[in-house]
Structure formats: structure tokens, C-alpha cells
């Protein structure tokens, strides 16, 4: 299939989800939220009282479970509907409990191998936009358009606060800042697929950009790449 893949990587709160969803909606791409996959396996481990470092048990139960990721573009809050054994866990995977634990589970190499395979299968079946930490470096290194987003910490805290509010959750600014910095540190320093700027990607600092400006910029890069420029 023709390579029509966009990858969006970057640290927590850099605005990946918002822009990836908009690109998917406006350009008719399938949205693949790779973070939701790591969150789903983390929830599975928590609910089954599995030690978060016990890779084998998490994989065993994941393989026995029916985990589905459905594109659901008409619902802003459940853009990717995550279904575990017939139960909609789209909101459960956004809880603080899962947020605090997901960096531990996503460090495990077997878990990453398992999910990267799934992500590649999904991306190979339709033109897609993938969002995560390693989508341009490991999952789809040959993607036609690779973007790395950044934003300053104050702006990222503000965005996370808004997102939590949408999900009826609240944390103080200092708690959010601490949570983001801890997650960044773990995601960037881990041995397996750390968060890096993928080779050949365009780095965009979104701190002072509107979502419309960001969309136009990425759309133009994508179109140019599709035309081979
Ligand atoms: O984007 P998010 O906050 O939903 O991601 C949750 C966690 O999953 C994040 O702390 C790191 C991990 N993750 C990862 O390791 N690789 C990805 N491709 C996506 C997310």
C-alpha cells in the first residue's frame, strides 16, 4: 500500500492527541492512539492484581483477553473506543491510577514488542495518523510525514489541567507538573524505545501556536511529502 502515514511523537502534554485527532478527521485518516494501548494493558494488570513488572503474566492475560480499538470519530471524548472483553474501558484508562502506573508497564520490552506488532498491523491496513513516543522512530520509521511536538512546561501543565477537567478529574498545578516531569524522565531515559526526536522528523514547538496554525503547517508538510517534494 502507498505510504500515507503521519506519525506524531512528543512528551506528555505537547498537544499530540488534539492535532492527531484533527488530522484524522479532516484528512480522512485512521487515528491510532498508541498510548491508549499501553494504558489498556496497564489497566488489565491493575485489575488482575498483577505486579506491574511481571511482563510474562501481563502478556499472558493480554493474549487471553479480547482487546479492541475502534475508531469513533464522532465522539470527542472517546475518539478511540477501547473495548476489553466487551467492556468499554475508554474512560477507565485515563484514570490517575493508570496514569501513574503506565510508565512502568511501557518500559517492558515484551509488552512493547507485542503492541508495536499490533500498531504496525493497524497502520498497514489504512492511511493513518499514529500518536505516541516511538511511532516515528520504531513503529513506522518509514512514515512519509514524521512530526515531533514540543511545548514549554507551563503550557503543557495548562493543557493537562484542561484535559483532566474534561474527564471530571482535578489535580493542583504543582501535582500535574510533577506528574508530567516524572513521566518525561521515565519515558526519555528508558532502555527500550525511549522518547527521542525521530530521524527525519520535523520538530514543531506548539507553545504559542493555535491549533489551526498547527493543522495548516502539518497538512502542508504532509501534502508536500505526498507529492514527493
Ligand atoms: O500519550 P499517553 O499519555 O496516553 O501515554 C501513556 C504512556 O504510555 C506514556 O507515559 C508513555 C507510554 N507510551 C509509550 O511508551 N510509547 C508510546 N508509543 C505511547 C505511549
Amino acid at each position: 500500500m502507498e505510504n500515507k502515514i503521519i506519525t506524531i511523537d512528543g512528551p506528555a502534554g505537547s498537544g499530540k492527541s488534539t492535532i492527531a485527532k484533527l488530522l484524522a478527521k479532516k484528512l480522512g485518516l485512521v487515528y491510532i492512539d498508541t498510548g491508549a494501548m499501553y494504558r489498556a494493558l496497564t489497566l488489565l494488570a491493575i485489575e488482575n492484581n498483577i505486579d506491574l513488572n511481571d511482563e510474562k503474566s501481563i502478556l499472558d492475560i493480554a493474549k487471553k483477553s479480547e482487546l479492541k480499538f475502534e475508531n469513533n470519530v464522532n465522539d470527542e471524548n472517546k475518539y478511540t473506543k477501547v473495548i476489553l472483553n466487551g467492556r468499554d474501558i475508554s474512560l477507565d484508562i485515563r484514570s490517575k491510577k493508570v496514569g501513574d502506573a503506565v510508565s512502568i508497564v511501557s518500559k517492558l520490552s515484551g509488552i512493547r514488542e507485542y503492541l508495536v506488532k499490533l500498531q504496525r498491523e493497524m497502520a498497514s491496513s489504512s492511511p493513518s495518523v499514529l500518536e505516541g513516543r516511538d511511532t516515528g522512530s520504531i513503529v513506522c520509521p518509514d512514515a512519509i510525514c514524521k512530526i515531533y511536538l514540543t511545548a514549554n512546561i507551563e503550557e503543557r501543565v495548562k493543557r493537562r489541567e484542561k484535559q483532566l477537567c474534561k474527564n471530571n478529574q482535578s489535580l493542583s498545578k504543582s501535582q500535574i507538573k510533577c506528574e508530567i516531569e516524572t513521566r518525561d524522565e521515565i519515558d526519555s531515559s528508558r532502555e527500550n524505545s525511549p522518547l527521542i526526536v525521530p530521524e527525519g522528523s520535523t520538530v514543531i514547538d506548539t507553545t504559542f501556536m493555535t491549533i489551526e496554525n498547527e493543522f495548516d503547517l502539518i497538512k502542508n508538510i504532509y501534502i508536500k511529502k505526498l507529492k514527493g517534494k
Side-chain angles (χ1 to χ4, degrees):
M1 197 184 70
E2 205 183 340
N3 180 348
K4 287 189 174 172
I5 294 171
I6 303 179
T7 60
I8 313 267
D9 293 299
S14 57
K16 301 183 298 291
S17 303
T18 312
I19 192 64
K21 288 174 186 173
L22 195 63
L23 287 162
K25 199 168 189 167
K26 293 209 171 177
L27 304 180
L29 304 169
V30 168
Y31 169 58
I32 304 176
D33 178 357
T34 61
M37 299 180 168
Y38 289 96
R39 285 173 179 271
L41 291 201
T42 303
L43 181 71
L44 195 59
I46 292 173
E47 289 189 341
N48 288 280
N49 296 315
I50 299 173
D51 183 308
L52 296 175
N53 288 295
D54 185 351
E55 177 177 281
K56 188 180 172 307
S57 302
I58 301 175
L59 277 175
D60 280 350
I61 196 148
K63 286 174 187 167
K64 280 186 209 142
S65 307
E66 193 197 17
L67 196 53
K68 286 199 287 189
F69 299 90
E70 292 174 2
N71 253 250
N72 189 35
V73 285
N74 294 320
D75 185 342
E76 269 305 310
N77 296 320
K78 290 187 189 175
Y79 224 86
T80 301
K81 203 167 171 183
V82 188
I83 316 281
L84 174 64
N85 298 324
R87 176 180 137 226
D88 184 349
I89 57 162
S90 315
L91 298 183
D92 302 273
I93 60 168
R94 306 285 160 201
S95 69
K96 175 162 167 32
K97 206 163 54 173
V98 172
D100 288 343
V102 63
S103 282
I104 303 173
V105 174
S106 59
K107 269 200 296 195
L108 306 171
S109 59
I111 300 285
R112 300 205 71 86
E113 252 170 55
Y114 176 70
L115 288 181
V116 165
K117 186 166 172 274
L118 207 66
Q119 290 154 12
R120 287 185 180 145
E121 278 166 16
M122 289 166 82
S124 67
S125 57
S126 349
S128 323
V129 51
L130 292 95
E131 175 222 316
R133 305 294 190 289
D134 63 345
T135 64
S137 57
I138 302 287
V139 184
C140 296
D142 298 327
I144 190 130
C145 177
K146 301 202 274 188
I147 305 293
Y148 185 90
L149 296 185
T150 63
N152 72 23
I153 185 74
E154 288 76 22
E155 180 62 23
R156 289 164 57 204
V157 169
K158 244 198 272 170
R159 290 175 186 173
R160 187 59 99 201
E161 204 177 17
K162 248 189 182 168
Q163 199 178 40
L164 286 172
C165 186
K166 245 187 176 175
N167 295 343
N168 292 322
Q169 298 170 35
S170 82
L171 281 179
S172 70
K173 275 201 167 58
S174 59
Q175 275 176 307
I176 299 176
K177 185 164 182 264
C178 177
E179 190 199 289
I180 287 182
E181 286 176 339
T182 307
R183 206 121 70 81
D184 280 357
E185 168 58 23
I186 300 178
D187 292 344
S188 311
S189 62
R190 68 175 175 228
E191 210 175 297
N192 299 309
S193 316
L195 171 68
I196 53 161
V197 177
E199 208 183 310
S201 61
T202 305
V203 178
I204 303 175
D205 184 339
T206 66
T207 309
F208 302 108
M209 285 177 87
T210 63
I211 189 70
E212 291 80 15
N213 289 342
E214 222 181 293
F215 174 78
D216 289 341
L217 177 64
I218 298 176
K219 187 181 105 181
N220 288 337
I221 297 172
Y222 183 52
I223 289 172
K224 266 193 186 168
K225 299 263 185 189
L226 286 177
K227 287 183 179 161
K229 288 184 193 164

